[in-house]
């Protein structure tokens, strides 16, 4: 098979070109223009929250959320050990300390049973991650947070469209953070969003991301601010992508179902909690046998199939180094896990080809 089967490539077309050309034709390609406000409103309406604030990245969303909630030097923030590094880094930007918790072996999200043992008098927040689009156990996380008077910042950067007990991920904690990187469900090229129902908090975040500039004729700044604004040209992409979102989600769910049906008994998949509905941003599998994942990837690549390894546990990195013996599940999933092609650019026939190839290789 000569065609490439994409892991996570975006779907872009004439609609995106139309809105981009409009932004260019008006000359509003930076932070001024109608698309930014329209995108924020449309995003809020979709999620059912009171306010959304667009920013430059998912990392910026997490950073400004932690800043707004008062995380400072010496504060501790609970973070899952298996996630993208951007979940932990913003804590360090504020001179706080990420405190890692191993993951649940079935859902691959933070192991709620292990959170309380990591809480100290310095703990100020929990950042649950909805890994690969699969919602974390938010009810129990929120109950723990309430018990210890902690904030909950949802890292929903991978889970746009996922639901937990009827509510969209990102809307269940104190603040929710999204990413629109080129590989996400919808993309603005880069970009991110902070959402929530506290209009005072979100209004202040909106102020902060615009360099904390007061609404006066002269340039006046009453606080330390950040240059985290989304551009009008990025938001133009976002508006077009929002018009595709239902179709993109449906394709990812269909692909996940094909994988589950065709690879049943050969690999293991992430499980969903009761009353949770993953967006299946990426379908990831665990191969429960002695296997060299990089070699498997090379073989799949020869056949035009893009894949990606599971995230490296954060405690493997020099700046967060801890004994791997403390995080056995994270290392087990990393060692034998693989993300499969999930881009809506693929067809159902493409996904069937991937499953056929995997069955041939794995036997």
């Amino acid at each position: 098979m000569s065609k490439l089967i994409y892991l996570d490539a975006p779907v872009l077309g004439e609609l995106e070109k139309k809105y981009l050309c409009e932004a260019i034709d008006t000359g509003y390609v930076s932070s001024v223009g109608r698309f930014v406000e329209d995108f924020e409103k449309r995003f809020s309406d979709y999620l059912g929250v009171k306010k959304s604030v667009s920013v430059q990245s998912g990392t910026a969303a997490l950073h400004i959320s932690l800043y707004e909630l008062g995380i400072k030097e010496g504060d501790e923030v609970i973070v899952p050990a298996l996630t993208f590094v951007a979940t932990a880094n913003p804590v360090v930007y504020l001179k706080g300390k990420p405190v890692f918790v191993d993951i649940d072996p079935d859902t691959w999200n933070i192991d709620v049973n292990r959170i309380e043992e990591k809480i100290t008098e310095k703990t100020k927040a929990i950042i649950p991650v909805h890994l690969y689009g699969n919602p974390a156990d938010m009810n129990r996380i929120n109950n723990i947070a309430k018990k210890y008077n902690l904030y909950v910042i949802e890292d929903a950067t991978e889970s746009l469209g996922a639901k937990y007990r009827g509510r969209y991920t990102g809307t269940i904690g104190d603040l929710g953070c999204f990413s629109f990187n080129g590989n996400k469900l919808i993309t603005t090229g880069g970009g991110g969003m902070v959402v929530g129902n506290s209009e005072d908090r979100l209004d202040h975040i909106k102020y902060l991301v615009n360099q904390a500039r007061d609404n006066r004729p002269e340039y006046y700044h009453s606080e330390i601010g950040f240059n985290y604004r989304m551009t009008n040209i990025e938001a133009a992409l976002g508006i077009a992508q929002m018009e595709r979102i239902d179709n993109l989600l449906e394709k990812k769910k269909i692909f996940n179902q094909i994988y589950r049906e065709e690879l049943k008994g050969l690999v293991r998949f992430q499980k969903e909690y009761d009353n949770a509905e993953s967006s299946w941003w990426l379908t990831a599998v665990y191969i429960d046998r002695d296997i060299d994942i990089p070699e498997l990837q090379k073989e799949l690549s020869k056949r035009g199939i893009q894949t990606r390894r599971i995230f490296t546990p954060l405690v493997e990195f020099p700046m967060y180094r801890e004994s791997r013996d403390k995080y056995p599940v994270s290392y087990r999933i990393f060692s034998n896990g693989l993300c499969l092609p999930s881009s809506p650019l693929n067809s159902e026939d493409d996904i069937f080809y991937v499953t056929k190839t995997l069955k041939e290789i794995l036997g």
Side-chain angles (χ1 to χ4, degrees), residues 162-361:
K163 291 182 178 180
Y164 177 87
R165 301 196 176 191
R167 298 174 66 183
Y168 283 110
T169 55
T171 71
I172 307 166
D174 292 286
L175 291 169
C177 300
F178 293 86
S179 168
F180 307 126
N181 191 35
N183 63 357
K184 295 303 191 293
L185 178 73
I186 67 169
T187 185
T188 59
M193 195 81 78
V194 183
V195 308
N197 289 309
S198 171
E199 293 188 76
D200 288 342
R201 278 183 188 147
L202 272 298
D203 284 342
H204 189 236
I205 288 173
K206 183 72 170 177
Y207 174 66
L208 290 173
V209 302
N210 189 31
Q211 293 285 24
R213 180 183 174 187
D214 283 1
N215 187 23
R216 306 186 191 187
E218 69 277 15
Y219 280 78
Y220 188 87
H221 310 266
S222 59
E223 296 182 54
I224 297 294
F226 302 84
N227 186 15
Y228 279 172
R229 297 165 296 177
M230 177 176 283
T231 67
N232 195 51
I233 206 163
E234 289 171 322
L237 268 178
I239 288 288
Q241 290 277 283
M242 286 298 292
E243 294 186 27
R244 299 182 184 275
I245 192 168
D246 290 337
N247 178 259
L248 298 176
L249 278 168
E250 182 63 22
K251 289 198 76 172
K252 284 184 180 285
K253 291 177 182 179
I254 289 171
F255 293 168
N256 180 266
Q257 189 59 38
I258 292 171
Y259 281 129
R260 286 176 180 270
E261 291 173 357
E262 293 296 315
L263 300 177
K264 185 177 180 180
L266 192 63
V267 300
R268 289 201 286 116
F269 296 86
Q270 282 179 282
K271 290 184 180 179
E272 296 167 294
Y273 288 107
D274 291 340
N275 300 310
E277 182 182 341
S278 177
S279 63
W280 303 122
W281 167 59
L282 289 180
T283 290
V285 298
Y286 176 81
I287 303 169
D288 195 7
R289 65 172 74 178
D290 186 15
I291 188 169
D292 187 320
I293 293 295
E295 285 301 316
L296 174 60
Q297 288 183 280
K298 288 179 184 177
E299 188 60 35
L300 291 169
S301 180
K302 290 176 185 176
R303 307 188 193 196
I305 299 171
Q306 291 185 339
T307 59
R308 193 176 82 183
R309 291 202 70 173
I310 302 297
F311 292 124
T312 301
L314 299 187
V315 293
E316 183 69 16
F317 302 139
M319 59 281 194
Y320 299 129
R321 182 86 69 196
E322 292 187 39
S323 170
R324 63 172 56 198
D325 294 341
K326 296 179 181 178
Y327 306 93
V329 182
S330 295
Y331 275 95
R332 185 164 71 247
I333 299 301
F334 163 67
S335 296
N336 282 45
L338 189 66
C339 298
L340 301 179
S342 302
S343 168
L345 280 179
N346 300 319
S347 67
E348 291 182 35
D349 285 343
D350 293 332
I351 305 305
F352 278 113
Y353 171 74
V354 175
T355 61
K356 178 176 178 290
T357 303
L358 279 169
K359 284 189 279 190
E360 288 175 359
I361 295 172

Side-chain angles (χ1 to χ4, degrees), residues 5-177:
I5 302 179
Y6 300 100
L7 174 70
D8 53 8
V11 176
L12 303 168
E14 293 304 315
L15 191 59
E16 284 76 14
K17 290 178 185 177
K18 174 185 175 183
Y19 290 141
L20 285 172
C21 286
E22 181 180 333
I24 292 167
D25 289 343
T26 63
Y28 292 123
V29 297
S30 190
S31 56
V32 177
R34 78 170 183 92
F35 288 117
V36 174
E37 184 177 343
D38 287 354
F39 184 35
E40 290 174 340
K41 184 179 186 308
R42 188 168 298 196
F43 204 76
S44 294
D45 290 345
Y46 177 80
L47 293 177
V49 293
K50 289 184 179 178
K51 192 173 182 68
S52 299
V53 177
S54 57
V55 292
Q56 269 298 302
S57 66
T59 306
L62 288 162
H63 183 207
I64 202 68
S65 295
L66 289 161
Y67 184 89
E68 172 65 22
L69 296 175
I71 303 304
K72 61 186 184 306
E73 185 171 0
D75 289 344
E76 296 178 352
V77 178
I78 303 290
V79 174
L82 190 74
T83 179
F84 184 51
V85 72
T87 307
N89 284 348
V91 178
V92 180
Y93 299 164
L94 297 167
K95 298 184 178 180
K97 178 185 177 182
V99 176
F100 302 107
V101 174
D102 206 2
I103 60 169
D104 175 80
D106 294 324
T107 65
W108 306 1
N109 288 318
I110 192 167
D111 187 343
V112 181
N113 296 317
R114 303 289 301 276
I115 291 176
E116 288 190 80
E117 66 189 50
K118 295 293 185 85
I119 293 174
T120 72
E121 60 181 15
K122 295 181 179 180
T123 308
K124 296 295 187 283
I126 306 171
I127 305 181
V129 179
H130 309 297
L131 194 72
Y132 301 130
N134 192 29
D137 193 351
M138 289 305 300
N139 267 23
R140 292 185 63 195
I141 290 169
N142 279 339
N143 286 338
I144 291 170
K146 184 176 180 181
K147 178 179 176 181
Y148 293 95
N149 194 29
L150 308 177
Y151 292 115
V152 175
I153 302 170
E154 288 180 79
D155 184 339
T157 53
E158 302 169 8
S159 66
L160 178 58
K163 291 182 178 180
Y164 177 87
R165 301 196 176 191
R167 298 174 66 183
Y168 283 110
T169 55
T171 71
I172 307 166
D174 292 286
L175 291 169
C177 300

